[in-house]
Amino acid sequence: MPVHTPDFSAAFAGLERALVRRRIAAVEPVLRLEIAALAAFLAAALFWRMRLRLGSIAFAHGPWAATGEAAAALGACALLGGALAGARHVMTLAPGAAGPPWLALPIPAAQVHRHLARASRLLALLAALPALSVLAAALGIVPWLAFGALAAGFCVLLDLAARLGCRAAFGIARSRAEPLAGCDAWTRVLAAAARPLSSGRLAAARWRREGALPAFLRKDLLVTRRPGPARGRLAQPLVFGALSVLVWFVPIAPGAVTTVAIGLVLLAAAGLASWIVALAASDPFPVVKALPVGVGVVWGARVAWAALGAVALAAGQAVGAGFAPPPAADAPVAGAALAAFAVAVLGANYAITLFPRADHAERILGIALAIALAASLMFYFVGWAVLLVALLHSARRLPRWPLQEEA
Amino acid sequence: MTLRIHGLRRRFGAVVALDGVTLEVKPGEIVGLLGPNGAGKSTLMRAAAGLQPPDLGQVHVEDVDLWREPIAAKRRLGFASEHPSFYEELSADQYLAFLAAVRGLEPKAAAARAGELVERLGLKGRTDEPVRGFSNGMRKKLSFMAAILHRPSVLLCDEALEGFDAPAALYARETLRALASGGTAVLFSSHVTEAVERLCDRVIVLHRGRVVHTLARAEWGLEAPGLSALERAFLELIRSPAAEVPA
């Protein structure tokens, strides 16, 4: 068979085009509409906020001050894009990550890495959505010349941030990779990514008499302690929960502290809900459905975690406000507990009623929370109403759990 | 301790997977379920295990309606799946301990039984590793152990012994016989006709979602369950002192 020199760049370009087409095709038409509507809703909410802000700044301090404000917002968007690309690249290069056995193919490792980095950088484009809202809000307020510079600057900055994010992710992966004699860094990183997660030995099992609910709770803890999706999801509530306490010690206006703290609590609660979805996703369908347990046990275990998480977040607020240097604002303890519990229970509801489709649960949870957030950006109490409606709507399907089927 | 399935019907779009299946497995009986691919065996097993609701029909486990009183019925039921799935992050021991707790088993007795099953099925020394690293055969063994840990009144084995090594398969068949002697009703689905031939008291043939024939043991000639000549020779070899590998 004749062999010719392969054109890797053309091959990867074709692969990337095919992957993008396939991923778009994999999104159901209804979901595409949902995502488009949600994106438009969020963009409109952000546009409205920014328009008011830039308008008032321009009125008070002139158009160049508004330009500075818009530039700062666009910079934040670019940073967000860079963080998204970096986070995605960390996962791509993590041990046990899904993907073809690259090292088994006759392709230079550096070429493979360029392809993986391009795929990760695509995620940074999500940051273009809020950036477009900011630019639209700046239209007619900032000078035309500055508007063009802002748009072009954002594109450059987003690309730079995404590249930096991927480079940082590669640095992390390289620091974790084993030294292999005669191998370049790309090969070492790919070898580490292809390595299956180590099995090792686990702690001895505890055989004890306990009810089904405590058994589920203990099992959830064991699952979370091991490397896997559940453990990965726990990072968000822990990080944002800790930040929501630490923010009380930042010397900013008391009113602003309360707003930032509740925002961080909500982010932690969303992470808690996502962790609960991951826990439910770890339940093997044939095992759970063949067990003599009803929906009360499975749902109850997850709601118990939601309650525990909400109490911890509220306690964090009380502690943060209690120890914060004066003048401290009142801690939003009750609000934090209620909001966190509602968000986490929403996660539990979707995880149980859409079981075993964790991807659907995650998606619907994201849509519901995004709508509640967008509604809150417009009118604070509308967000609560949206959350309550979502809770009630999802809870209505709980009794159908025994009849749910594996897709 | 009886499994009674009456008029089970299930469609997947235009495909009729089960078309009014009626059968009964009596206490102490091991009934084989044979049928070509797509005959509806796995759908029947999943409906009988409470994993897939039927469009019509009933499943009774010891006179308890599975779909009306699922928790009571599932206490009496064991199910070893064709494609076993687990909590991949847990060890086999942790997984079995969780099942024992949820089923309300006496901890010491459950641990002892699990230990015996682990040893006899050849998983000793591996049960503190995450299930994620298990081979297909090991996963099948763990699924089988989980299904019989609580000595169920009704046991459903859906191609559960495929992938077992010879000693484990022999022990599993002995265990099924012992369970049946204790009154368990066993419905055993397999593509391996030799296994069904050696193990079962009766065979139900499923085709296009219908029971088309029932064969009694006398009809296929083998008088009692036994081993094939190759299995006997293999077992003799691996049990001989010469087969011991020094540590």
Side-chain angles (χ1 to χ4, degrees):
Chain A
M1 190 180 286
V3 176
H4 59 87
T5 311
D7 182 352
F8 293 124
S9 301
F12 275 118
L15 172 70
E16 284 157 22
R17 277 196 302 273
L19 281 173
V20 169
R21 273 200 299 270
R22 187 165 174 166
R23 278 171 193 153
I24 291 171
V27 181
E28 301 149 28
V30 175
L31 183 64
R32 279 185 224 171
L33 279 177
E34 286 171 4
I35 292 172
L38 182 66
F41 192 38
L42 281 171
L46 189 61
F47 166 79
W48 190 39
R49 283 269 162 192
M50 281 305 291
R51 187 78 181 173
L52 288 176
R53 186 167 175 76
L54 294 180
S56 60
I57 290 174
F59 182 74
H61 305 288
W64 287 106
T67 305
E69 183 72 12
L74 289 172
C77 291
L79 281 180
L80 173 72
L84 286 173
R88 165 76 172 270
H89 209 47
V90 165
M91 285 191 272
T92 303
L93 300 178
W102 291 115
L103 289 178
L105 297 172
I107 308 171
Q111 195 89 36
V112 173
H113 189 262
R114 276 197 288 275
H115 156 67
L116 295 177
R118 273 195 301 271
S120 297
R121 288 205 302 271
L122 273 182
L123 203 65
L125 287 178
L126 284 179
L129 179 74
L132 281 175
S133 292
V134 173
L135 283 171
L139 209 60
I141 294 177
V142 303
W144 280 105
L145 195 65
F147 183 82
L150 282 175
F154 170 73
C155 293
V156 172
L157 204 59
L158 182 64
D159 183 56
L160 192 69
R163 283 176 192 278
L164 280 175
C166 287
R167 188 165 289 190
F170 181 75
I172 293 169
R174 188 173 50 187
S175 68
R176 287 178 183 164
E178 289 171 19
L180 295 171
C183 288
D184 56 26
W186 315 116
T187 307
R188 287 196 293 118
V189 167
L190 288 179
R195 198 177 58 220
L197 290 170
S198 73
S199 48
R201 303 268 169 192
L202 302 184
R206 287 185 188 175
W207 298 80
R208 60 171 78 173
R209 194 194 309 274
E210 60 188 345
L213 188 79
F216 262 85
L217 289 171
R218 203 154 55 83
K219 183 270 301 166
D220 284 348
L221 267 186
L222 284 174
V223 167
T224 305
R225 280 172 56 188
R226 298 285 307 154
R231 189 163 90 173
R233 299 287 164 81
L234 198 58
Q236 185 184 333
L238 290 179
V239 168
F240 284 113
L243 288 176
S244 74
V245 179
L246 293 176
V247 75
W248 287 95
F249 298 92
V250 178
I252 49 176
V257 170
T258 310
T259 307
V260 174
I262 197 82
L264 289 167
V265 164
L266 287 174
L267 283 171
L272 183 66
S274 177
W275 172 66
I276 288 172
V277 172
L279 276 181
S282 75
D283 284 337
F285 185 88
V287 174
V288 172
K289 287 289 182 156
L291 284 175
V293 293
V295 65
V297 168
V298 185
W299 181 76
R302 276 61 206 244
V303 170
W305 287 122
L308 206 63
V311 167
L313 287 169
Q317 291 307 294
V319 169
F323 287 93
D330 287 337
V333 177
L338 207 59
F341 185 63
V343 169
V345 171
L346 188 63
N349 283 0
Y350 286 136
I352 303 301
T353 55
L354 296 170
F355 180 67
R357 297 300 307 266
D359 52 338
H360 285 198
E362 192 99 44
R363 184 200 296 166
I364 304 291
L365 173 70
I367 289 173
L369 292 183
I371 291 173
L373 174 70
S376 283
L377 284 174
M378 293 183 180
F379 304 102
Y380 182 68
F381 286 105
V382 179
W384 277 101
V386 169
L387 196 57
L388 188 65
V389 168
L391 266 174
L392 292 175
H393 182 259
S394 57
R396 280 177 59 230
R397 286 177 53 87
L398 284 171
R400 286 188 54 79
W401 181 79
L403 299 176
Q404 282 165 217
E405 295 182 40
E406 212 165 5
Chain B
M1 300 185 190
T2 311
L3 171 69
R4 274 192 292 118
I5 293 171
H6 183 76
L8 219 56
R9 199 176 279 269
R10 176 70 209 219
R11 289 176 78 101
F12 294 105
V15 179
V16 181
L18 297 176
D19 192 5
V21 172
T22 297
L23 62 88
E24 184 174 294
V25 186
K26 293 188 178 116
E29 200 180 22
I30 303 181
V31 173
L33 193 61
L34 283 179
N37 291 334
K41 299 188 300 296
S42 288
T43 306
L44 175 63
M45 286 294 201
R46 291 170 67 80
L51 269 60
Q52 194 135 50
D55 299 329
L56 271 176
Q58 289 105 43
V59 177
H60 283 92
V61 180
E62 284 189 353
D63 294 329
V64 179
D65 189 323
L66 175 71
W67 290 98
R68 282 179 195 276
E69 296 174 72
I71 295 177
K74 286 173 187 176
R75 281 204 187 100
R76 299 157 164 86
L77 200 66
F79 175 55
S81 164
E82 176 190 7
H83 302 294
S85 44
F86 307 97
Y87 292 97
E88 301 287 329
E89 295 88 351
L90 301 190
S91 69
D93 269 341
Q94 288 172 334
Y95 172 64
L96 292 174
F98 165 68
L99 294 186
V102 171
R103 288 192 175 279
L105 306 184
E106 167 59 36
K108 272 189 184 166
R113 177 152 171 78
E116 184 201 334
L117 290 171
V118 160
E119 178 145 10
R120 299 296 300 272
L121 286 170
L123 282 184
K124 198 173 177 188
R126 308 295 303 270
T127 53
D128 57 353
E129 295 172 20
V131 179
R132 183 191 287 130
F134 276 21
S135 69
N136 182 45
M138 290 162 75
R139 295 171 75 87
K140 286 277 187 127
K141 287 176 184 179
L142 182 57
S143 170
F144 181 70
M145 283 195 273
I148 62 170
L149 184 68
H150 56 296
R151 298 181 198 275
S153 308
V154 170
L155 178 63
L156 306 166
C157 290
D158 186 12
E159 299 180 32
L161 307 193
E162 267 102 290
F164 276 37
D165 50 56
L170 176 65
Y171 174 68
R173 290 206 296 266
E174 283 172 358
T175 306
L176 289 178
R177 276 265 150 233
L179 281 169
S181 306
T184 300
V186 182
L187 185 59
F188 184 85
S189 162
S190 178
H191 281 298
V192 185
T193 45
E194 290 89 339
V196 177
E197 185 183 26
R198 253 175 262 132
L199 185 68
C200 299
D201 305 309
R202 192 158 58 92
V203 168
I204 289 170
V205 181
L206 206 63
H207 186 50
R208 291 182 181 165
R210 290 173 179 228
V211 174
V212 292
H213 205 74
T214 302
L215 291 163
R217 172 164 282 280
E219 289 181 65
W220 69 82
L222 207 68
E223 284 182 0
L227 294 175
S228 73
L230 179 60
E231 276 178 329
R232 250 195 311 271
F234 175 70
L235 287 172
E236 274 170 26
L237 272 173
I238 63 162
R239 283 172 179 173
S240 71
E244 293 290 325
V245 181

